[in-house]
């Protein structure tokens, strides 16, 4: 299981529970996730930063501490692995006695015609971008339903509404993610104090384009 690294001392059991919100952010090591972490840090939130890369997470954690976050915890995790997501959420609940907001922005990308993209690459993209979102939603909404409060924010994409060639795995994932989010929003109406939101940005300045696998001989 992944272990965690904390950039502030954990609160003791005798400490009065802080009024600062506990915010979990996936994909926090770069791009939209990193920008989201910065935004909540400026508000003095207690942050749980999740991504696969420990080194980049620590860099973002240091930035958030400098920006005013009350506390920052680093949690290396692959969202496509359900047991890792469950472990992180359970550990966070033990530490903070609750979760207020989860922003799910973890994503990967690949370029190439559908027939030229290896099946395992296609499957891996869908595994992170769609099934990973389902893993995060399942774990966090279970907590929100139990505590009768919480807000899940899922970062989708403009490509969940339109299609473009040479990005079949990403487009498939984001169209599926849009459908999943709409269902979650409908079902969350039964849970007092729980809400689900989606954000569908267009292109932003993020390393995902350069880091993507490519089978067209160039980056997107």
């Amino acid at each position: 299981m992944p272990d965690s690294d904390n950039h502030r001392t954990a609160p003791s059991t005798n400490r009065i529970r802080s009024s600062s919100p506990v915010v979990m952010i996936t994909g926090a090591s770069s791009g939209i996730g990193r920008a989201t972490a910065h935004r909540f840090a400026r508000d003095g939130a207690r942050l749980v930063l999740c991504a696969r890369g420990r080194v980049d997470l620590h860099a973002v954690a240091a930035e958030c501490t400098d920006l005013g976050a009350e506390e920052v915890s680093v949690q290396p995790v692959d969202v496509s692995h359900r047991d890792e997501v469950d472990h992180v959420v359970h550990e966070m609940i033990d530490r903070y006695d609750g979760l207020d907001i989860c922003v799910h922005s973890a994503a990967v990308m690949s370029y190439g015609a559908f027939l030229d993209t290896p099946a395992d690459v296609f499957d891996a993209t869908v595994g992170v971008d769609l099934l990973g979102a389902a893993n995060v939603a399942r774990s966090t909404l279970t907590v929100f339903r139990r505590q009768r409060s919480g807000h899940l924010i899922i970062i989708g994409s403009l490509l969940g509404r339109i299609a473009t060639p040479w990005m079949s795995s990403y487009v498939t994932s984001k169209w599926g993610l849009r459908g999943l989010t709409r269902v979650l929003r409908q079902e969350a109406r039964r849970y007092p104090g729980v809400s689900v939101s989606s954000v569908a940005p267009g292109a932003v300045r993020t390393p995902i384009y350069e880091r993507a696998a490519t089978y067209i001989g160039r980056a997107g």
Side-chain angles (χ1 to χ4, degrees), residues 1 77-90 131-132 134-136 138-139:
M1 290 294 182
V77 60
D78 184 337
V79 297
S80 67
H81 295 166
R82 186 171 63 251
D83 57 341
E84 291 189 18
V85 175
D86 287 343
H87 175 77
V88 167
V89 171
H90 291 157
L131 301 184
N135 291 336
V136 171
R138 185 179 297 108
S139 291

PDB file of all heavy atoms in Angstrom, residues 1 77-90 131-132 134-136 138-139:
ATOM      1  N   MET A   1       0.831  -1.186   0.000  1.00  0.00           N
ATOM      2  CA  MET A   1       0.000   0.000   0.000  1.00  0.00           C
ATOM      3  C   MET A   1       0.876   1.251   0.000  1.00  0.00           C
ATOM      4  O   MET A   1       1.970   1.248   0.565  1.00  0.00           O
ATOM      5  CB  MET A   1      -0.879   0.020   1.261  1.00  0.00           C
ATOM      6  CG  MET A   1      -1.971  -1.038   1.258  1.00  0.00           C
ATOM      7  SD  MET A   1      -3.166  -0.721  -0.043  1.00  0.00           S
ATOM      8  CE  MET A   1      -4.306  -2.065   0.269  1.00  0.00           C
ATOM      9  N   VAL A  77      -0.554   7.633  -5.025  1.00  0.00           N
ATOM     10  CA  VAL A  77      -1.612   6.665  -5.295  1.00  0.00           C
ATOM     11  C   VAL A  77      -1.883   6.599  -6.790  1.00  0.00           C
ATOM     12  O   VAL A  77      -1.791   7.601  -7.492  1.00  0.00           O
ATOM     13  CB  VAL A  77      -2.912   7.050  -4.536  1.00  0.00           C
ATOM     14  CG1 VAL A  77      -3.414   8.414  -4.968  1.00  0.00           C
ATOM     15  CG2 VAL A  77      -4.002   6.003  -4.728  1.00  0.00           C
ATOM     16  N   ASP A  78      -2.194   5.416  -7.277  1.00  0.00           N
ATOM     17  CA  ASP A  78      -2.648   5.201  -8.647  1.00  0.00           C
ATOM     18  C   ASP A  78      -4.149   4.994  -8.570  1.00  0.00           C
ATOM     19  O   ASP A  78      -4.618   3.976  -8.046  1.00  0.00           O
ATOM     20  CB  ASP A  78      -1.952   3.982  -9.243  1.00  0.00           C
ATOM     21  CG  ASP A  78      -2.296   3.748 -10.717  1.00  0.00           C
ATOM     22  OD1 ASP A  78      -3.361   4.234 -11.158  1.00  0.00           O
ATOM     23  OD2 ASP A  78      -1.522   3.069 -11.407  1.00  0.00           O
ATOM     24  N   VAL A  79      -4.926   5.950  -9.084  1.00  0.00           N
ATOM     25  CA  VAL A  79      -6.382   5.884  -8.916  1.00  0.00           C
ATOM     26  C   VAL A  79      -7.011   4.706  -9.648  1.00  0.00           C
ATOM     27  O   VAL A  79      -8.151   4.337  -9.363  1.00  0.00           O
ATOM     28  CB  VAL A  79      -7.056   7.204  -9.355  1.00  0.00           C
ATOM     29  CG1 VAL A  79      -6.602   8.365  -8.489  1.00  0.00           C
ATOM     30  CG2 VAL A  79      -6.811   7.486 -10.835  1.00  0.00           C
ATOM     31  N   SER A  80      -6.293   4.114 -10.598  1.00  0.00           N
ATOM     32  CA  SER A  80      -6.840   2.952 -11.300  1.00  0.00           C
ATOM     33  C   SER A  80      -6.828   1.706 -10.426  1.00  0.00           C
ATOM     34  O   SER A  80      -7.421   0.689 -10.793  1.00  0.00           O
ATOM     35  CB  SER A  80      -6.077   2.692 -12.602  1.00  0.00           C
ATOM     36  OG  SER A  80      -4.751   2.283 -12.348  1.00  0.00           O
ATOM     37  N   HIS A  81      -6.157   1.772  -9.267  1.00  0.00           N
ATOM     38  CA  HIS A  81      -6.119   0.659  -8.327  1.00  0.00           C
ATOM     39  C   HIS A  81      -7.075   0.958  -7.176  1.00  0.00           C
ATOM     40  O   HIS A  81      -6.793   1.805  -6.328  1.00  0.00           O
ATOM     41  CB  HIS A  81      -4.700   0.441  -7.802  1.00  0.00           C
ATOM     42  CG  HIS A  81      -3.737   0.019  -8.862  1.00  0.00           C
ATOM     43  ND1 HIS A  81      -2.370   0.030  -8.677  1.00  0.00           N
ATOM     44  CD2 HIS A  81      -3.934  -0.418 -10.132  1.00  0.00           C
ATOM     45  CE1 HIS A  81      -1.768  -0.384  -9.782  1.00  0.00           C
ATOM     46  NE2 HIS A  81      -2.702  -0.668 -10.673  1.00  0.00           N
ATOM     47  N   ARG A  82      -8.185   0.274  -7.151  1.00  0.00           N
ATOM     48  CA  ARG A  82      -9.233   0.573  -6.179  1.00  0.00           C
ATOM     49  C   ARG A  82      -8.750   0.429  -4.740  1.00  0.00           C
ATOM     50  O   ARG A  82      -9.115   1.219  -3.868  1.00  0.00           O
ATOM     51  CB  ARG A  82     -10.437  -0.337  -6.427  1.00  0.00           C
ATOM     52  CG  ARG A  82     -11.637  -0.023  -5.556  1.00  0.00           C
ATOM     53  CD  ARG A  82     -12.869  -0.801  -5.976  1.00  0.00           C
ATOM     54  NE  ARG A  82     -12.709  -2.249  -5.828  1.00  0.00           N
ATOM     55  CZ  ARG A  82     -12.589  -3.088  -6.856  1.00  0.00           C
ATOM     56  NH1 ARG A  82     -12.597  -2.646  -8.102  1.00  0.00           N
ATOM     57  NH2 ARG A  82     -12.467  -4.388  -6.642  1.00  0.00           N
ATOM     58  N   ASP A  83      -7.910  -0.573  -4.466  1.00  0.00           N
ATOM     59  CA  ASP A  83      -7.456  -0.775  -3.099  1.00  0.00           C
ATOM     60  C   ASP A  83      -6.571   0.370  -2.626  1.00  0.00           C
ATOM     61  O   ASP A  83      -6.612   0.746  -1.441  1.00  0.00           O
ATOM     62  CB  ASP A  83      -6.721  -2.112  -2.965  1.00  0.00           C
ATOM     63  CG  ASP A  83      -5.537  -2.251  -3.907  1.00  0.00           C
ATOM     64  OD1 ASP A  83      -5.475  -1.491  -4.905  1.00  0.00           O
ATOM     65  OD2 ASP A  83      -4.671  -3.120  -3.671  1.00  0.00           O
ATOM     66  N   GLU A  84      -5.794   0.958  -3.532  1.00  0.00           N
ATOM     67  CA  GLU A  84      -4.964   2.099  -3.154  1.00  0.00           C
ATOM     68  C   GLU A  84      -5.834   3.305  -2.810  1.00  0.00           C
ATOM     69  O   GLU A  84      -5.570   4.022  -1.842  1.00  0.00           O
ATOM     70  CB  GLU A  84      -3.984   2.450  -4.281  1.00  0.00           C
ATOM     71  CG  GLU A  84      -2.894   1.425  -4.497  1.00  0.00           C
ATOM     72  CD  GLU A  84      -1.822   1.928  -5.467  1.00  0.00           C
ATOM     73  OE1 GLU A  84      -1.748   3.162  -5.681  1.00  0.00           O
ATOM     74  OE2 GLU A  84      -1.078   1.092  -5.994  1.00  0.00           O
ATOM     75  N   VAL A  85      -6.865   3.542  -3.603  1.00  0.00           N
ATOM     76  CA  VAL A  85      -7.769   4.664  -3.330  1.00  0.00           C
ATOM     77  C   VAL A  85      -8.461   4.469  -1.988  1.00  0.00           C
ATOM     78  O   VAL A  85      -8.523   5.393  -1.158  1.00  0.00           O
ATOM     79  CB  VAL A  85      -8.807   4.816  -4.459  1.00  0.00           C
ATOM     80  CG1 VAL A  85      -9.812   5.916  -4.104  1.00  0.00           C
ATOM     81  CG2 VAL A  85      -8.117   5.132  -5.780  1.00  0.00           C
ATOM     82  N   ASP A  86      -8.972   3.266  -1.744  1.00  0.00           N
ATOM     83  CA  ASP A  86      -9.642   2.991  -0.474  1.00  0.00           C
ATOM     84  C   ASP A  86      -8.691   3.204   0.699  1.00  0.00           C
ATOM     85  O   ASP A  86      -9.080   3.763   1.736  1.00  0.00           O
ATOM     86  CB  ASP A  86     -10.161   1.551  -0.448  1.00  0.00           C
ATOM     87  CG  ASP A  86     -11.378   1.344  -1.333  1.00  0.00           C
ATOM     88  OD1 ASP A  86     -12.027   2.348  -1.710  1.00  0.00           O
ATOM     89  OD2 ASP A  86     -11.683   0.177  -1.652  1.00  0.00           O
ATOM     90  N   HIS A  87      -7.461   2.763   0.556  1.00  0.00           N
ATOM     91  CA  HIS A  87      -6.474   2.904   1.624  1.00  0.00           C
ATOM     92  C   HIS A  87      -6.235   4.380   1.948  1.00  0.00           C
ATOM     93  O   HIS A  87      -6.209   4.764   3.132  1.00  0.00           O
ATOM     94  CB  HIS A  87      -5.161   2.241   1.210  1.00  0.00           C
ATOM     95  CG  HIS A  87      -4.047   2.435   2.183  1.00  0.00           C
ATOM     96  ND1 HIS A  87      -3.944   1.731   3.359  1.00  0.00           N
ATOM     97  CD2 HIS A  87      -2.986   3.289   2.165  1.00  0.00           C
ATOM     98  CE1 HIS A  87      -2.864   2.129   4.013  1.00  0.00           C
ATOM     99  NE2 HIS A  87      -2.263   3.063   3.307  1.00  0.00           N
ATOM    100  N   VAL A  88      -6.064   5.189   0.920  1.00  0.00           N
ATOM    101  CA  VAL A  88      -5.811   6.623   1.142  1.00  0.00           C
ATOM    102  C   VAL A  88      -7.002   7.288   1.818  1.00  0.00           C
ATOM    103  O   VAL A  88      -6.848   8.062   2.771  1.00  0.00           O
ATOM    104  CB  VAL A  88      -5.493   7.321  -0.195  1.00  0.00           C
ATOM    105  CG1 VAL A  88      -5.539   8.838  -0.041  1.00  0.00           C
ATOM    106  CG2 VAL A  88      -4.119   6.881  -0.707  1.00  0.00           C
ATOM    107  N   VAL A  89      -8.214   6.996   1.356  1.00  0.00           N
ATOM    108  CA  VAL A  89      -9.405   7.618   1.941  1.00  0.00           C
ATOM    109  C   VAL A  89      -9.569   7.185   3.397  1.00  0.00           C
ATOM    110  O   VAL A  89      -9.841   8.020   4.275  1.00  0.00           O
ATOM    111  CB  VAL A  89     -10.656   7.274   1.115  1.00  0.00           C
ATOM    112  CG1 VAL A  89     -11.919   7.737   1.836  1.00  0.00           C
ATOM    113  CG2 VAL A  89     -10.572   7.936  -0.263  1.00  0.00           C
ATOM    114  N   HIS A  90      -9.383   5.911   3.700  1.00  0.00           N
ATOM    115  CA  HIS A  90      -9.520   5.444   5.073  1.00  0.00           C
ATOM    116  C   HIS A  90      -8.465   6.083   5.975  1.00  0.00           C
ATOM    117  O   HIS A  90      -8.767   6.484   7.112  1.00  0.00           O
ATOM    118  CB  HIS A  90      -9.393   3.920   5.126  1.00  0.00           C
ATOM    119  CG  HIS A  90     -10.544   3.209   4.505  1.00  0.00           C
ATOM    120  ND1 HIS A  90     -10.461   1.913   4.028  1.00  0.00           N
ATOM    121  CD2 HIS A  90     -11.821   3.601   4.260  1.00  0.00           C
ATOM    122  CE1 HIS A  90     -11.626   1.554   3.525  1.00  0.00           C
ATOM    123  NE2 HIS A  90     -12.466   2.560   3.648  1.00  0.00           N
ATOM    124  N   LEU A 131     -12.303   4.551 -15.034  1.00  0.00           N
ATOM    125  CA  LEU A 131     -12.435   3.663 -13.885  1.00  0.00           C
ATOM    126  C   LEU A 131     -11.783   4.262 -12.645  1.00  0.00           C
ATOM    127  O   LEU A 131     -12.257   4.044 -11.521  1.00  0.00           O
ATOM    128  CB  LEU A 131     -11.827   2.295 -14.208  1.00  0.00           C
ATOM    129  CG  LEU A 131     -12.451   1.566 -15.401  1.00  0.00           C
ATOM    130  CD1 LEU A 131     -11.825   0.189 -15.568  1.00  0.00           C
ATOM    131  CD2 LEU A 131     -13.961   1.460 -15.251  1.00  0.00           C
ATOM    132  N   GLY A 132     -10.715   5.032 -12.842  1.00  0.00           N
ATOM    133  CA  GLY A 132     -10.096   5.721 -11.708  1.00  0.00           C
ATOM    134  C   GLY A 132     -11.054   6.705 -11.068  1.00  0.00           C
ATOM    135  O   GLY A 132     -11.132   6.828  -9.842  1.00  0.00           O
ATOM    136  N   ALA A 134     -14.282   6.453 -11.117  1.00  0.00           N
ATOM    137  CA  ALA A 134     -15.280   5.646 -10.419  1.00  0.00           C
ATOM    138  C   ALA A 134     -14.753   5.184  -9.064  1.00  0.00           C
ATOM    139  O   ALA A 134     -15.490   5.176  -8.068  1.00  0.00           O
ATOM    140  CB  ALA A 134     -15.682   4.448 -11.275  1.00  0.00           C
ATOM    141  N   ASN A 135     -13.479   4.800  -9.014  1.00  0.00           N
ATOM    142  CA  ASN A 135     -12.885   4.388  -7.741  1.00  0.00           C
ATOM    143  C   ASN A 135     -12.904   5.515  -6.719  1.00  0.00           C
ATOM    144  O   ASN A 135     -13.254   5.321  -5.552  1.00  0.00           O
ATOM    145  CB  ASN A 135     -11.452   3.916  -7.966  1.00  0.00           C
ATOM    146  CG  ASN A 135     -11.374   2.614  -8.733  1.00  0.00           C
ATOM    147  OD1 ASN A 135     -12.323   1.821  -8.745  1.00  0.00           O
ATOM    148  ND2 ASN A 135     -10.248   2.380  -9.391  1.00  0.00           N
ATOM    149  N   VAL A 136     -12.508   6.701  -7.160  1.00  0.00           N
ATOM    150  CA  VAL A 136     -12.482   7.859  -6.256  1.00  0.00           C
ATOM    151  C   VAL A 136     -13.900   8.220  -5.817  1.00  0.00           C
ATOM    152  O   VAL A 136     -14.152   8.498  -4.641  1.00  0.00           O
ATOM    153  CB  VAL A 136     -11.794   9.056  -6.937  1.00  0.00           C
ATOM    154  CG1 VAL A 136     -11.943  10.328  -6.096  1.00  0.00           C
ATOM    155  CG2 VAL A 136     -10.316   8.756  -7.181  1.00  0.00           C
ATOM    156  N   ARG A 138     -16.542   6.272  -5.656  1.00  0.00           N
ATOM    157  CA  ARG A 138     -17.093   5.242  -4.768  1.00  0.00           C
ATOM    158  C   ARG A 138     -16.592   5.427  -3.336  1.00  0.00           C
ATOM    159  O   ARG A 138     -17.381   5.379  -2.372  1.00  0.00           O
ATOM    160  CB  ARG A 138     -16.714   3.857  -5.292  1.00  0.00           C
ATOM    161  CG  ARG A 138     -17.333   2.708  -4.521  1.00  0.00           C
ATOM    162  CD  ARG A 138     -16.928   1.361  -5.116  1.00  0.00           C
ATOM    163  NE  ARG A 138     -17.417   1.204  -6.486  1.00  0.00           N
ATOM    164  CZ  ARG A 138     -16.634   1.247  -7.571  1.00  0.00           C
ATOM    165  NH1 ARG A 138     -15.323   1.461  -7.455  1.00  0.00           N
ATOM    166  NH2 ARG A 138     -17.153   1.087  -8.766  1.00  0.00           N
ATOM    167  N   SER A 139     -15.306   5.658  -3.177  1.00  0.00           N
ATOM    168  CA  SER A 139     -14.732   5.793  -1.835  1.00  0.00           C
ATOM    169  C   SER A 139     -15.182   7.071  -1.148  1.00  0.00           C
ATOM    170  O   SER A 139     -15.552   7.061   0.029  1.00  0.00           O
ATOM    171  CB  SER A 139     -13.203   5.756  -1.922  1.00  0.00           C
ATOM    172  OG  SER A 139     -12.735   4.478  -2.296  1.00  0.00           O
TER     173      SER A 139
END
